[in-house]
Amino acid sequence: IGVLRDPVISYFELSSGEYRHRDLSGNYEMNSLMGNISIKDRDPFPHLHVTLADENFAVTGGHLSVGEIGVTGEIFLEPLGEVLERKISQENGLNLLALD
């Protein structure tokens, strides 16, 4: 929970196989933030979904592509005890978790 300043959220369109992005301007209440941090091409790869509220209490959400903590950000990470890796799916071209 907390505040995000000028976040960018995204939505993956299955039909086109592309992400649509929406730049939000200003401060937004971060009502929830869920996801994981895995490894992709030897680098950390955060896959995060966020729910945000504006000053009119309108709620929006999606993939969090960009976000800067405003006043505060209370984020808790829980280690799983194993490393999660992502690999490109031949089916759809997405970087999916390799759970073998």
Side-chain angles (χ1 to χ4, degrees), residues 4-100:
L4 287 181
R5 183 179 307 124
D6 300 328
V8 176
I9 58 175
S10 304
Y11 175 82
F12 184 75
E13 281 188 340
L14 283 173
S15 59
S16 68
E18 295 181 357
Y19 282 93
R20 289 184 9 213
H21 303 283
R22 176 175 289 170
D23 295 14
L24 302 174
S25 178
N27 293 314
Y28 288 79
E29 285 285 334
M30 182 170 51
N31 294 333
S32 70
L33 178 70
M34 298 178 67
N36 60 61
I37 301 172
S38 58
I39 301 297
K40 180 184 134 208
D41 301 327
R42 297 186 178 160
D43 291 321
F45 181 85
H47 181 195
L48 305 172
H49 289 224
V50 67
T51 304
L52 303 168
D54 66 16
E55 73 256 2
N56 297 312
F57 303 99
V59 176
T60 190
H63 290 266
L64 180 62
S65 298
V66 175
E68 179 182 333
I69 297 295
V71 178
T72 187
E74 299 176 15
I75 299 168
F76 296 89
L77 302 174
E78 184 177 340
L80 295 177
E82 63 182 276
V83 176
L84 296 175
E85 263 193 85
R86 290 192 175 269
K87 295 186 180 171
I88 293 182
S89 166
Q90 299 304 318
E91 254 180 63
N92 54 29
L94 292 173
N95 289 296
L96 302 179
L97 289 175
L99 301 172
D100 0 81

